Every structure is written in C-alpha cells, then in structure tokens.
Amino acid sequence: RRVLFRSLFNAPDILKSLVELNVSRNNIGNQGCQDISEAVIKFPQLKKLNLKDCCIDAQGVAYLASASCLQRLISLNLSNNSIGDEGCKHIANSKILINIERIILNDCDISQNGVKALCQSPIIKFLKILSFSNNQKINNEAAQSIAECPYFFNLNELFLDGCSLTIQGIGKICSSRNLARLRLLKIFGENIGKLIADDLKRELGIDNNLEIK
C-alpha cells in the first residue's frame, strides 16, 4: 500500500490542485508521513489531511509537523493512531501547522500531558474544532488545562466523550472564560437528550448557549 501511496507523488498536475487528501485505514505508517514531508512536489492547495488508522506513531507526527508542504493545512485527522503525548508535543511545537482550525485525535493514547502540551502552544489560536474522544487517560487535570488555556478564543466545538472526566472537570470547562465561543461540548458516548443536558447545566450553574451532549 505504501508503494501505491508513493505513486501519488508522480501525478504533479493532480497534487497542484489537491485540496483534500484522505488515505484513512491504509497502512502507510511513519514512512508514509516521511514521504509526505519529503515530497518534491508541493501541495499548494492542500487544506485537509485525513490519516485516520494509518499505523502512525509519534515519529510519523514529527514528519508531518515539519512538512513544509502542509503550511496551508487547516484540518488534520490522526484518529486511531498511537501517537501518544509525544505526538501531541510534535504538533504543539510545529512551525508549519500554524493555520490549523480542526484537529481530530480520537483514540490516540493521549493523557493529560499531551493535552497540556497543546494547550500551552499558540499553534491552536485559530482552532475551531478539537476532538479527544476515546482517550481514556484524559481526566480532570486535562480539563483544567483546557479551561485555563489562553489560546482557545476561537474554539467552537470540543469532543471529550469516552474520556475520564467527572462533573468537576466538566464544570471547569463549562465555566471557563477562556472558552467564550464554545458552543458544543460532547462528553457522553450516547445522546443524553436535551432535558438531561439542561439539568446538568443547571447543576453546574451554567447559563449560556453552550450545548452539552
């Protein structure tokens, strides 16, 4: 599959106009990420990259985070890859992914340390959608890092379902003044219904337009 993936780089006319690249559920691994980072042909229009379930770890993220051809990227999906906290740190320290608006990191073996690394990075200042779904190591300490982050002033949607938050952690996020534009907080695996969500907001003393699911 990697051979087929590398063959993409032999089609410069396609690459020059490519806006979205989805190679999810293909075993391209870290070498595939290296191929992207070393591409002779750039991706001048590429804005969305989906590498869900591609057998990538932190080293693969390091290649992507330094790939000059991804400077226009606004959406990155690395779900179902074991990138861990180290992978989050590579994203946080990237000098390339400075225009990112959407990061999907579901089921990536991330803990509060990875969340903290992202929250300390100005790279997330344009972020509108952030998903950490099904990272069971993410807990109330991570929720506090999110609530205290000074860079989430554009964040509209936050997904933390399948994580290990309690009502205390949820309350910190819901009451954070740093998340003034947050409109959707997903914390439950199933649809809990509007009445239950409203009851939860009342219990937390939240009176705003935030939708909890």
Side-chain angles (χ1 to χ4, degrees):
R1 290 182 178 178
R2 187 188 169 215
V3 174
L4 290 174
F5 177 69
R6 293 194 68 179
S7 68
L8 287 173
F9 302 109
N10 296 322
D13 292 338
I14 295 177
L15 295 181
K16 287 179 180 178
S17 59
L18 194 66
V19 175
E20 181 174 358
L21 178 60
N22 184 348
V23 290
S24 59
R25 297 186 174 87
N26 284 283
N27 185 15
I28 67 167
N30 294 339
Q31 289 299 314
C33 296
Q34 185 176 10
D35 291 338
I36 293 175
S37 69
E38 296 177 350
V40 176
I41 303 297
K42 305 301 183 183
F43 302 90
Q45 304 299 326
L46 188 64
K47 294 187 175 182
K48 298 180 180 180
L49 179 60
N50 188 344
L51 297 175
K52 177 181 178 180
D53 195 13
C54 285
C55 299
I56 297 167
D57 61 24
Q59 181 58 59
V61 181
Y63 288 129
L64 297 173
S66 61
S68 59
C69 59
L70 301 181
Q71 289 181 338
R72 291 180 177 268
L73 203 69
I74 62 172
S75 177
L76 177 62
N77 188 342
L78 291 171
S79 296
N80 300 102
N81 291 294
S82 297
I83 69 168
D85 296 334
E86 195 66 26
C88 284
K89 292 176 183 177
H90 288 312
I91 296 174
N93 294 328
S94 176
K95 307 299 183 185
I96 300 298
L97 304 175
I98 57 175
N99 296 304
I100 204 76
E101 297 180 5
R102 179 178 182 266
I103 300 179
I104 310 299
L105 300 173
N106 301 338
D107 195 10
C108 285
D109 195 30
I110 296 169
S111 75
Q112 65 269 19
N113 294 323
V115 174
K116 185 176 181 179
L118 277 177
C119 290
Q120 291 176 337
S121 172
I123 197 175
I124 60 175
K125 63 184 178 181
F126 296 121
L127 207 61
K128 296 179 180 178
I129 299 174
L130 176 61
S131 183
F132 285 119
S133 297
N134 299 320
N135 285 284
Q136 296 183 3
K137 296 179 183 178
I138 290 179
N139 54 21
N140 287 348
E141 186 177 340
Q144 183 170 350
S145 294
I146 293 172
E148 295 176 351
C149 175
Y151 301 114
F152 279 141
F153 34 75
N154 286 306
L155 192 65
N156 299 142
E157 300 180 10
L158 177 61
F159 296 80
L160 293 167
D161 49 307
C163 298
S164 299
L165 271 64
T166 67
I167 194 167
Q168 286 78 18
I170 297 168
K172 289 178 181 178
I173 292 174
C174 292
S175 61
S176 173
R177 294 183 179 180
N178 295 324
L179 297 168
R181 294 191 177 182
L182 191 65
R183 291 295 175 262
L184 173 61
L185 175 61
K186 175 71 171 170
I187 52 177
F188 298 102
E190 299 179 359
N191 191 345
I192 60 172
K194 188 176 185 303
L195 291 177
I196 296 178
D198 288 345
D199 286 343
L200 178 59
K201 288 180 66 174
R202 279 192 291 271
E203 183 176 348
L204 293 170
I206 305 301
D207 183 20
N208 55 29
N209 295 322
L210 178 63
E211 180 180 4
I212 298 178
K213 289 187 175 182

